[in-house]
Amino acid sequence: MLKLLNIGMIGYGFMGRAHSNAYRKVNNFFDVQHRPVLKAICGRSVDKVKAFADQWGYESTETDWRRLVERKDIDAIDIGTPNNTHLEIALAAAQAGKWVLCEKPLAMNGAEARKMVEAVEKAKVPNFVWFNYRRVPAIALARQVMDEDRIGRVFHYRATYLQDWTISPDLPQGGAALWRLDAAVAGSGVTGDLISHSVDTALWLNGPIQSLTAMTETFIKERKHQETGKVQKVGIDDACLFLARFANGALATFESTRYARGRKNKNMFEINGEKGSMYFDLEDPHRLQFFDHGDPPHLAGWRSIHVTNFEHPYHKQWWVPGTTIGYEHTFINALADFLKGVETGKPAQPDFRDAYRTQLVLDAILQSARELKWVNVNPG
Ligand SMILES: NC(=O)c1ccc[n+]([C@@H]2O[C@H](COP(=O)([O-])OP(=O)(O)OC[C@H]3O[C@@H](n4cnc5c(N)ncnc54)[C@H](O)[C@@H]3O)[C@@H](O)[C@H]2O)c1
């Protein structure tokens, strides 16, 4: 008998859809002991929230997240709202004894994230942050390659996360569709939105970052606010680059921008070690490239591994070798890991504490860019 887990999902946007899909599918593909129930969807517009409930099969709706959190028939609160709402919702949910799943970045800054960690740990409630790229099979395979010590001592880590959708100066800032351009709502620009993913992956694959020096730029200095119509100073970073030193001695470069014409969501990393190298690019998501220095010299070369075999992470749960899965499956894989973590007592990562460490790296990036100096990262 599966245990029913009543979900209260907050936000019916991009992530509201991705998470709802995961709740609906997880039991079809994974053997977990819980069955998520789409109990309630919460958003501020009555019409939109009702339409979403109809489309996705939610049993009920709420227009105030506080009412949702108070409901006795909700077991887990899922925060799929803009970044400036995460803290308040998470604190209330933890206090009400709910499981808390939260979108990334965990918070607006490290101080907020720390309060969130303290709240879930005090309440002893399962908690999780949806850094979904860890659940791309090729990235999970990269972690396995690291665990198997096939790369050896790491010398270099380089990551880029590139988009191009904010180049037009006519694009407004703020409002429902463009909150990512409003610093008061997003906290930061590409640092919280994009490089946070690169940092999460990097910490997972290569351990803590010790120190860094960063530069950020806001290319378009003023934009009209979508809600007020007023032209206002832009407070977010449009681009962010940083150099870093990992605790294991590796040197790193990270770059993210929304001004790389032609790049829609290029999430790439390369690791160079004593025994080998690895390369991943989300524009070719089923492939992990691997160079093994142990190969005989006349056969040495980069292997392009099509990560779809039953032996590869997650693929046993999906289709036959050679077929592929997509973006939405990373959320289903993540949810399955989270549920298994609760069931086995070995919490899936990143939980709030783990995502807090990423948030501290983001704080260090923004501090360094502001003060034009190297910054030691608070290890958390
Ligand atoms: N894991 C990922 O790769 C990924 C991708 C996209 C977004 N995100 C994160 O997910 C979160 C949401 O982003 P999105 O792209 O889904 O945004 P979105 O704009 O598509 O959706 C946000 C939703 O939140 C609702 N909302 C806003 N304020 C609210 C409030 N006070 N009460 C109730 N509902 C409220 C909006 O009505 C909307 O339904 C952000 O933290 C973002 O950084 C993560």
Side-chain angles (χ1 to χ4, degrees):
M1 268 293 276
L2 293 176
K3 290 181 219 159
L4 300 184
L5 181 71
N6 289 337
I7 304 294
M9 175 82 228
I10 312 180
Y12 47 71
F14 182 13
M15 287 302 109
R17 294 168 69 226
H19 297 190
S20 300
N21 180 59
Y23 293 127
R24 290 183 66 112
K25 301 267 175 67
V26 69
N27 297 110
N28 300 134
F29 292 94
F30 288 87
D31 293 323
V32 287
Q33 294 161 19
H34 288 84
R35 178 180 289 284
V37 177
L38 298 183
K39 203 69 182 172
I41 177 77
C42 174
R44 290 159 305 171
S45 151
V46 183
D47 293 346
K48 285 188 188 158
V49 83
K50 284 209 163 19
F52 190 89
D54 286 347
Q55 185 171 13
W56 285 89
Y58 276 91
E59 290 177 20
S60 63
T61 61
E62 293 291 348
T63 51
D64 181 348
W65 62 261
R66 289 174 186 82
R67 282 182 53 90
L68 182 73
V69 167
E70 283 164 10
R71 274 173 56 166
K72 297 274 178 290
D73 62 346
I74 297 294
D75 302 313
I77 293 290
D78 188 352
I79 306 169
T81 48
N83 310 343
N84 65 336
T85 62
H86 294 185
L87 170 70
E88 209 184 350
I89 300 174
L91 295 192
Q95 208 169 25
K98 313 291 188 198
W99 300 15
V100 197
L101 299 95
C102 186
E103 257 307 337
K104 54 55 58 179
L106 180 56
M108 299 282 273
N109 52 52
E112 282 195 9
R114 190 191 162 113
K115 287 185 197 157
M116 294 165 78
V117 172
E118 286 166 358
V120 291
E121 291 185 352
K122 184 168 168 221
K124 296 191 170 55
V125 289
N127 55 93
F128 186 65
V129 181
W130 295 90
F131 273 112
N132 59 304
Y133 291 120
R134 290 194 192 194
R135 271 77 194 186
V136 172
I139 298 183
L141 181 62
R143 167 65 195 244
Q144 191 181 328
V145 170
M146 295 300 284
D147 288 345
E148 291 169 356
D149 193 23
R150 294 177 191 278
I151 298 298
R153 178 181 168 194
V154 177
F155 300 119
H156 291 289
Y157 192 104
R158 64 185 68 81
T160 60
Y161 202 135
L162 314 177
Q163 300 183 342
D164 73 350
W165 60 280
T166 63
I167 296 177
S168 167
D170 299 332
L171 194 71
Q173 58 175 317
L178 293 164
W179 60 264
R180 281 178 174 75
L181 277 74
D182 185 345
V185 180
S188 64
V190 297
T191 300
D193 199 30
L194 306 185
I195 244 177
S196 61
H197 278 299
S198 302
V199 170
D200 174 71
T201 303
L203 302 190
W204 190 48
L205 295 179
N206 199 38
I209 290 175
Q210 230 164 31
S211 60
L212 58 82
T213 184
M215 65 198 286
T216 58
E217 182 56 73
T218 304
F219 295 114
I220 308 287
K221 309 286 185 205
E222 290 186 327
R223 291 182 187 273
K224 194 185 270 184
H225 199 281
Q226 204 173 39
E227 280 167 345
T228 61
K230 276 196 201 139
V231 175
Q232 286 179 345
K233 190 166 176 249
V234 175
I236 60 152
D237 44 298
D238 290 332
C240 169
L241 292 82
F242 72 96
L243 297 179
R245 193 181 287 279
F246 280 87
N248 68 4
L251 304 185
T253 62
F254 291 77
E255 178 189 11
S256 70
T257 183
R258 294 186 184 130
Y259 284 68
R261 186 65 88 195
R263 296 297 181 197
K264 302 303 169 188
N265 202 43
K266 191 179 180 65
N267 175 0
M268 183 287 289
F269 65 80
E270 177 164 303
I271 306 177
N272 308 125
E274 194 174 3
K275 298 192 209 170
S277 290
M278 278 191 292
Y279 172 88
F280 171 82
D281 178 356
L282 192 66
E283 290 184 350
D284 197 5
H286 314 299
R287 294 198 175 269
L288 181 69
Q289 298 197 33
F290 173 53
F291 181 92
D292 186 350
H293 181 59
D295 283 344
H298 65 297
L299 295 177
W302 281 85
R303 289 177 216 175
S304 177
I305 305 167
H306 197 231
V307 187
T308 60
N309 287 346
F310 290 139
E311 292 75 14
H312 290 140
Y314 302 107
H315 266 284
K316 224 173 21 202
Q317 308 301 326
W318 295 101
W319 316 116
V320 296
T323 58
T324 53
I325 60 173
Y327 178 71
E328 71 272 29
H329 300 86
T330 62
F331 293 91
I332 307 171
N333 295 344
L335 177 62
D337 285 350
F338 169 66
L339 293 174
K340 277 187 215 153
V342 175
E343 290 157 11
T344 58
K346 285 190 209 134
Q349 300 299 315
D351 59 9
F352 277 26
R353 182 162 284 283
D354 199 27
Y356 168 53
R357 293 187 196 107
T358 291
Q359 198 81 45
L360 291 173
V361 176
L362 306 184
D363 276 8
I365 292 169
L366 295 171
Q367 183 193 343
S368 166
R370 242 184 354 256
E371 298 176 3
L372 302 176
K373 64 172 198 196
W374 276 87
V375 170
N376 289 326
V377 177
N378 174 352

